[in-house]
């Protein structure tokens, strides 16, 4: 099969470059929704099928021990069941995402912050919840859109600051018309997607972006259609685009395999499945970004504590290249009992990130920029947004209140023109590699205590 790349390392290098540039769009299917419940791995949609069969009071033999959702639905309808009740019953037995562990594969995808646009072929909210937990401490800040044949086109999702999730086959609802439960439903959605007037604009954008089709579990006909949908042209004629098809059907359906081998240039097939692919992608991404590994391994409850640091913390601002020095400085401050706002890598770029940064700076007692040669780069960097926010807030403070206290960790001069004026006109402290001396710690501790005693001024 043209699936396994001839040069595996070159393939991964290319995919990771695409991810780094923010081009890749994951298409998430139900195979990624594996839950760890009571010490065992459970497929979420198998769990739903079992609950739905019980809710519909299907005999155990008819339900087949739960089977698939399609099978449960067909047996219920064949017995003369009410169509509308079928969909409302499924909604009633579907647990809230907050009541379930985040599927590990979704968690790993969500922590790759360069992935901003997601398409899900499932109707549940587990992907949205995984993104909210991984990037926003559980707050519902992910943008979510749901396509239905009657829905208005949300427009160019690819231009929105992420994360953004599009439910391509609708989202769970009590109404039958709002989401696809059975294969017949999916056929109706597919029919609508072919319409020039009802086709969502985002599908046209997919023609230029690498897709990771992950565990959709689509039957042969739907898998072929979906790959064609995201190609922008006949599959056999497209060039210069690499998609990944990581799905169990790739290894179990010989007809699909033959089709892709002959008509799918640029489609790399991973018959080992979606979870294995996501595990490898996460491992390789983590190896390229070791500074984010600590955050990725931190339990969500601890991450939430990071977001909720009390007002009056010391805000450390640093370039990612200076993470080690910033961590050394943070540990020294924390050792003196000072709260430090430090773990910004737990958040992601976007409006929500910018707002959190602004609030954290405005609520901090001191702003400590870690300055080095990495701060002088001509490239656009997010830490400069923090500098601007600190300067803006400084304008609101009385001139006798210390707020910005630059720390140089190398021989960078305070007179560098790349540095803000507010940095250049205040006293600098030189702490090579972030190693804080007692004089510096004593000074910050004194300022920290005075702020805690007086409290923040009302805004």
């Amino acid at each position: 099969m043209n699936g396994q790349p001839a040069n595996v390392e070159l393939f991964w290098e290319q995919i990771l470059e695409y991810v780094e540039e923010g081009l890749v769009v994951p298409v998430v299917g139900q195979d990624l929704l594996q839950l760890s419940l009571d010490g065992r791995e459970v497929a979420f949609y198998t769990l739903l099928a079992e609950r739905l069969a019980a809710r519909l009071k299907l005999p155990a033999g008819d339900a087949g021990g739960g089977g698939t959702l399609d099978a449960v639905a067909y047996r219920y309808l064949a017995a003369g069941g009410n169509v509308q009740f079928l969909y409302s019953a499924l909604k009633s037995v579907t647990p809230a995402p907050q009541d379930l562990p985040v599927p590990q594969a979704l968690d790993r995808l969500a922590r790759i912050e360069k992935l901003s646009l997601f398409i899900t072929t499932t109707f549940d909210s587990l992907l949205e919840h995984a993104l909210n937990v991984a990037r926003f401490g559980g707050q519902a800040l992910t943008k979510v859109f749901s396509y239905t044949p009657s829905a208005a086109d949300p427009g160019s999702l690819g231009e929105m600051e992420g994360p953004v999730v599009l439910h391509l086959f609708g989202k769970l609802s009590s109404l039958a018309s709002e989401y696809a439960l059975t294969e017949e439903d999916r056929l109706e959605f597919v029919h609508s997607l072919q319409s020039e007037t009802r086709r969502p604009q985002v599908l046209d954008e997919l023609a230029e972006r690498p897709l990771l089709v992950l565990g959709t579990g689509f039957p042969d006909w739907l898998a072929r259609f979906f790959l064609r949908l995201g190609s922008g042209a006949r599959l056999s004629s497209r060039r210069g685009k690499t998609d990944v098809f990581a799905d169990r059907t790739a290894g179990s359906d010989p007809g699909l395999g033959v089709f892709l081998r002959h008509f799918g240039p640029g489609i790399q097939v991973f018959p080992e499945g979606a979870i294995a692919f996501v595990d490898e992608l996460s491992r390789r991404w983590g190896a390229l970004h070791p500074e984010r590994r600590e955050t990725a391994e931190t339990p969500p409850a601890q991450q939430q504590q990071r977001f909720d640091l009390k007002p009056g913390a010391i805000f450390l601002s640093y370039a990612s290249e200076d993470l080690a020095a910033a961590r050394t400085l943070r540990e020294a401050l924390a050792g003196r009992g000072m709260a430090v706002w430090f773990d910004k890598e737990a958040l992601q770029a976007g409006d929500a990130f910018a707002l959190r940064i602004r609030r954290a700076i405005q609520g901090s007692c001191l702003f400590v920029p870690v300055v080095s040669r990495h701060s002088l780069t001509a490239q656009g960097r997010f830490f400069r947004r923090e500098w601007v926010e600190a300067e803006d807030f400084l304008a609101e403070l009385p001139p006798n209140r210390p707020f910005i206290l630059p720390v140089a960790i190398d021989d960078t001069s305070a007179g560098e023109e790349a540095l803000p004026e507010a940095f250049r006109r205040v006293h600098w402290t030189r702490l090579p590699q972030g190693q804080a001396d007692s004089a510096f710690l004593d000074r910050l501790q004194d300022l920290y205590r005075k702020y805690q005693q007086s409290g923040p001024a009302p805004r």
Side-chain angles (χ1 to χ4, degrees):
M1 189 179 293
N2 69 309
Q4 293 294 2
N7 187 325
V8 173
E9 292 305 314
L10 182 61
F11 161 78
W12 278 109
E13 180 179 339
Q14 181 185 45
I15 289 296
L16 290 168
E17 286 179 357
Y18 288 152
V19 173
E20 192 74 56
E21 293 174 12
L23 299 175
V24 171
V25 178
V27 181
V28 174
Q30 61 178 269
D31 288 359
L32 291 183
L33 309 186
Q34 297 292 320
L35 304 174
S36 295
L37 295 175
D38 302 324
R40 63 189 182 100
E41 290 295 312
V42 179
F44 179 58
Y45 274 63
T46 298
L47 176 67
L48 290 185
E50 293 171 353
R51 291 189 172 196
L52 180 61
R55 179 71 178 88
L56 298 175
K57 296 182 172 56
L58 291 177
D62 291 344
T68 66
L69 277 176
D70 276 47
V72 172
Y74 294 152
R75 288 173 181 132
Y76 173 74
L77 295 174
N82 179 277
V83 173
Q84 186 56 53
F85 181 70
L86 172 66
Y87 293 80
S88 60
L90 178 55
K91 186 177 188 298
S92 71
V93 300
T94 300
Q98 295 81 0
D99 297 333
L100 297 169
V102 176
Q104 188 177 63
L106 294 189
D107 179 68
R108 288 176 172 169
L109 274 181
R111 294 185 187 282
I112 301 176
E113 75 282 359
K114 294 291 186 176
L115 299 176
S116 58
L117 172 59
F118 295 79
I119 293 178
T120 179
T121 62
T122 70
F123 53 71
D124 58 85
S125 298
L126 293 184
L127 174 58
E128 173 191 352
H129 180 61
L131 287 162
N132 286 333
V133 169
R135 303 192 186 186
F136 306 117
Q139 295 193 47
L141 297 175
T142 298
K143 303 177 183 71
V144 181
F145 299 92
S146 177
Y147 174 79
T148 66
S150 60
D153 187 353
S156 180
L157 302 182
E159 296 179 359
M160 294 185 180
E161 290 199 29
V164 178
V165 174
L166 171 65
H167 287 261
L168 194 60
F169 291 95
K171 190 175 180 183
L172 184 66
S173 167
S174 296
L175 300 177
S177 60
E178 294 296 309
Y179 68 102
L181 167 57
T182 67
E183 190 162 321
E184 182 189 25
D185 293 336
R186 287 186 282 275
L187 178 61
E188 290 305 305
F189 271 75
V190 165
H191 176 70
S192 175
L193 288 170
Q194 297 178 82
S195 167
E196 289 297 327
T197 58
R198 289 179 290 179
R199 174 189 177 91
Q201 181 178 336
V202 69
L203 296 183
D204 297 323
E205 300 170 16
L206 300 184
E208 304 299 326
R209 303 181 64 168
L211 304 181
L212 306 182
V213 184
L214 305 173
T216 59
F218 287 160
D220 186 331
W221 71 270
L222 187 50
R224 298 185 195 209
F225 172 81
F226 187 84
L227 291 171
R228 173 61 180 87
L229 198 66
S231 70
R234 292 177 66 96
L235 287 177
S236 58
S237 64
R238 69 182 205 162
R239 294 292 185 273
K241 182 173 185 281
T242 299
D243 291 341
V244 172
F245 188 71
D247 201 286
R248 53 189 166 85
T249 59
S252 61
D253 192 323
L256 180 60
V258 170
F259 174 80
L260 292 177
R261 183 167 64 248
H262 291 289
F263 301 108
I267 299 177
Q268 302 292 346
V269 179
F270 281 75
E272 295 88 348
I275 289 180
F277 179 84
V278 170
D279 288 348
E280 184 65 9
L281 175 64
S282 175
R283 184 188 71 78
R284 289 177 180 264
W285 179 259
L288 289 176
H289 299 273
E291 73 277 7
R292 303 189 185 279
R293 189 171 298 145
E294 178 184 347
T295 298
E297 295 173 355
T298 303
Q302 293 182 24
Q303 293 173 30
Q304 181 63 46
Q305 293 173 5
R306 290 176 175 178
F307 304 140
D308 295 337
L309 282 176
K310 63 181 180 180
I314 296 172
F315 191 106
L316 278 187
S317 175
Y318 57 92
S320 59
E321 296 90 339
D322 297 327
L323 173 64
R327 181 180 286 121
T328 298
L329 180 56
R330 185 274 303 268
E331 291 173 354
L333 296 172
R336 290 285 194 99
M338 290 176 268
V340 182
W341 208 101
F342 167 84
D343 289 306
K344 296 183 289 298
E345 61 264 47
L347 296 172
Q348 307 305 327
D351 290 340
F353 189 13
L355 179 60
R356 287 176 183 276
I357 291 289
R358 183 180 307 117
R359 288 176 175 172
I361 290 172
Q362 292 176 351
S364 63
C365 65
L366 297 167
F367 182 84
V368 180
V370 176
V371 180
S372 76
R373 61 184 178 275
H374 298 123
S375 308
L376 309 180
T377 174
Q379 298 174 331
R381 300 294 298 273
F382 196 86
F383 64 80
R384 289 199 178 95
R385 292 193 189 182
E386 300 170 356
W387 293 359
V388 171
E389 293 291 350
E391 281 193 291
D392 287 347
F393 183 54
L394 182 64
E396 301 180 18
L397 301 177
N400 64 337
R401 178 188 156 181
F403 180 64
I404 297 178
L405 282 72
V407 167
I409 60 173
D410 58 17
D411 59 356
T412 299
S413 169
E416 292 283 353
E417 292 184 358
L419 299 173
E421 182 183 351
F423 290 19
R424 300 199 300 267
R425 66 172 183 249
V426 295
H427 174 73
W428 280 38
T429 304
R430 294 197 178 274
L431 303 176
Q433 305 305 315
Q435 297 288 342
D437 56 33
S438 58
F440 176 79
L441 293 175
D442 289 344
R443 183 186 181 209
L444 260 68
Q445 192 169 35
D446 180 59
L447 293 172
Y448 180 84
R449 287 173 175 171
K450 288 179 178 178
Y451 181 91
Q452 302 302 324
Q453 292 169 2
S454 62
R459 292 193 58 78

